Amino acid sequence: MVLNPGPGMSTIAVLGTLDTKGEEHAYVAECIRKRGHDALLIDVGSLGEPQIAPDITRDEVAAAGGVDLTELSAKNDRGASVAAMSRSAPHLLLDLLKSGRISGVISLGGGGGTSIATGAMRALPIGFPKVMVSTLAAGNVEPYVGTKDIVMIPSVVDVAGLNRISRKVFTQAAGAVCGMVEADIEEGEGRPIIVASQFGNTTACVDEARRILEERGFEVLVFHATGAGGRSMESIIESGLVAGVLDITTTEWADEVLGGMLSAGPDRLGAAARLGVPAIISPGCLDMANFASLESLPSRMKGRLLYEHNPNATLVRTSPEEGVVIGQRIAARLNESTGPVTVLLPTRAISVIGAKGQPFHDPAADQALFKALRENLRADIVVKELDLEINDPVFAASCVEALLENMGKA
């Protein structure tokens, strides 16, 4: 087993089901070696014999996850085998990473191989090079990528042998992971991290808040509140790297309640609450839920107040009744907070298109949301109402000052 590359070299894990795709992974390994790095072949197959000799055998992979591969292989159950390797491979890659043995990972696969490999990649930290060449990469990759920075490359043809198409795709994928490993990344200056949520309708507010915070010595990570963005922000908070949360744009809760396409799930706002991270919460863009094109709008939403943001995004104005439910759900999550949290309400508008004279201006709906928040939050959670629109620079500055005050308490 080669684990210590020479000077200037890095070791890249080439992980795959070598019983069915050994030739293809061997080709990628050779491409990596031609780029001056070492390749560590890891077999996550479980049924047939490997087509090439791995550096780390399937038995070693299974053992990392406490799986008895001999007993599993005897059952000849492909689904159970894929599930077992999916549980074991993350442990193996984490062990290799923690011991400094690998600097990147690449895999090729169809359905089973993609599931195993990306499951292992999701266990690795953000910033660690991860490349997946997959037959599924042209479709919905959210179940495979999750909240991590996995580069998904469509295989175009099936991962079944070497041909003029697959050689080109595999060679370029190998070049991609090598380039990622070779990249010289400026890590920053160790400034405390603030995370913030943003939508197009709250960009002015977040931009101003970010400017103030950066002037005061913080590093601000902004996440687009598109469901995946909210989940990514929760993941970063959960990692323990975050000093404060500026959750200006909680719009994903509107999608969660109305069944829109940008829900971040019911645990949105949960990470900061559990970890006690100082937070500021604002109802940014809770006046809208996001659906696809007008033609595909669910029948239950037809006849509602709509705004066509673009040909592929239709916004539905939340009603007073829905605002009550949203307010109750957010309050329930914030009531779990173990650290200082403050809710700031911009009473004139919670989005650009919710301002006076704009399509979604509905003070009654906004007030129903605000009232639900006030009435359902714990008594010790401070709620401040400001007679401002959310994108007013004064509101942005107020959010920053409240966050810094909470960070001081923490």
Side-chain angles (χ1 to χ4, degrees):
M1 186 184 300
V2 180
L3 291 175
N4 297 308
M9 295 172 62
S10 295
T11 297
I12 298 172
V14 181
L15 180 148
T17 52
L18 303 188
D19 51 354
T20 59
K21 301 181 186 340
E23 178 188 20
E24 297 85 350
H25 284 89
Y27 180 83
V28 167
E30 185 57 29
C31 290
I32 290 170
R33 295 185 189 105
K34 287 179 179 178
R35 288 286 299 257
H37 299 290
D38 195 18
L40 184 68
L41 277 162
I42 303 172
D43 184 18
V44 291
S46 53
L47 297 179
E49 289 298 314
Q51 298 171 350
I52 58 171
D55 297 305
I56 295 181
T57 68
R58 61 185 62 177
D59 294 291
E60 291 176 276
V61 176
V67 174
D68 184 347
L69 197 59
T70 304
E71 180 181 342
L72 191 64
S73 299
K75 295 179 181 178
N76 201 33
D77 185 333
R78 185 175 185 274
S81 299
V82 169
M85 281 301 183
S86 296
R87 293 193 304 271
S88 301
H91 294 286
L92 179 82
L93 283 190
L94 273 175
D95 289 344
L96 292 172
L97 171 61
K98 289 174 182 177
S99 60
R101 294 174 175 179
I102 58 172
S103 300
V105 59
I106 186 171
S107 182
L108 322 170
T114 300
S115 179
I116 294 169
T118 55
M121 292 176 187
R122 290 196 302 273
L124 302 173
I126 290 172
F128 187 86
K130 319 168 189 71
V131 174
M132 182 74 227
V133 180
S134 173
T135 58
L136 304 174
N140 176 21
V141 299
E142 183 178 351
Y144 303 102
V145 173
T147 59
K148 294 301 176 74
D149 54 340
I150 300 172
V151 176
M152 298 286 289
I153 298 178
S155 62
V156 185
V157 294
D158 198 358
V159 183
L162 299 172
N163 53 62
R164 68 180 67 188
I165 300 296
S166 64
R167 282 192 184 91
K168 181 169 289 189
V169 173
F170 298 164
T171 301
Q172 291 175 342
V177 74
C178 289
M180 293 165 72
V181 166
E182 294 161 7
D184 185 14
I185 302 171
E186 184 178 343
E187 293 292 346
E189 305 159 2
R191 294 173 292 165
I193 293 175
I194 304 293
V195 294
S197 55
Q198 177 176 292
F199 225 33
N201 270 271
T202 56
T203 296
C205 177
V206 178
D207 279 352
E208 176 64 10
R210 177 167 55 86
R211 182 190 67 78
I212 298 170
L213 285 165
E214 288 177 346
E215 284 182 353
R216 298 197 186 189
F218 295 93
E219 182 176 7
V220 183
L221 310 182
V222 179
F223 294 84
H224 199 188
T226 55
R231 289 191 296 276
S232 293
M233 190 172 84
E234 296 289 315
S235 177
I236 290 289
I237 297 169
E238 201 80 59
S239 73
L241 298 174
V242 174
V245 176
L246 195 65
D247 220 336
I248 297 290
T249 315
T250 47
T251 185
E252 287 151 318
W253 268 106
D255 284 70
E256 173 68 12
V257 170
L258 273 71
M261 64 181 183
L262 300 185
S263 168
D267 194 44
R268 183 69 171 86
L269 303 175
R274 284 189 295 275
L275 272 66
V277 182
I280 295 302
I281 309 298
S282 174
C285 297
L286 284 175
D287 53 356
M288 60 185 73
N290 297 263
F291 293 86
S293 64
L294 274 171
E295 294 76 16
S296 64
L297 195 69
S299 58
R300 70 181 189 281
M301 293 297 166
K302 291 180 179 176
R304 299 282 297 268
L305 178 57
L306 307 175
Y307 182 83
E308 190 174 10
H309 181 65
N310 64 54
N312 297 308
T314 303
L315 309 181
V316 176
R317 204 333 172 166
T318 50
S319 68
E321 295 76 18
E322 290 159 346
V324 170
V325 177
I326 293 168
Q328 291 171 339
R329 298 280 291 278
I330 290 177
R333 183 61 69 230
L334 296 182
N335 287 342
E336 299 171 356
S337 296
T338 57
V341 57
T342 303
V343 177
L344 272 69
L345 305 176
T347 58
R348 289 195 183 184
I350 57 178
S351 74
V352 170
I353 61 173
K356 189 174 182 179
Q358 295 298 315
F360 276 10
H361 183 60
D362 187 343
D366 289 347
Q367 285 302 320
L369 168 66
F370 299 159
K371 183 180 179 183
L373 282 167
R374 288 193 303 267
E375 291 182 348
N376 289 278
L377 282 167
R378 280 185 349 222
D380 62 313
I381 295 179
V382 176
V383 180
K384 297 181 180 179
E385 294 194 7
L386 290 83
D387 186 26
L388 299 166
E389 295 180 6
I390 196 166
N391 287 304
D392 191 310
V394 177
F395 183 76
S398 299
C399 289
V400 170
E401 292 306 319
L403 178 59
L404 295 179
E405 181 181 342
N406 282 353
M407 291 171 69
K409 293 177 184 176

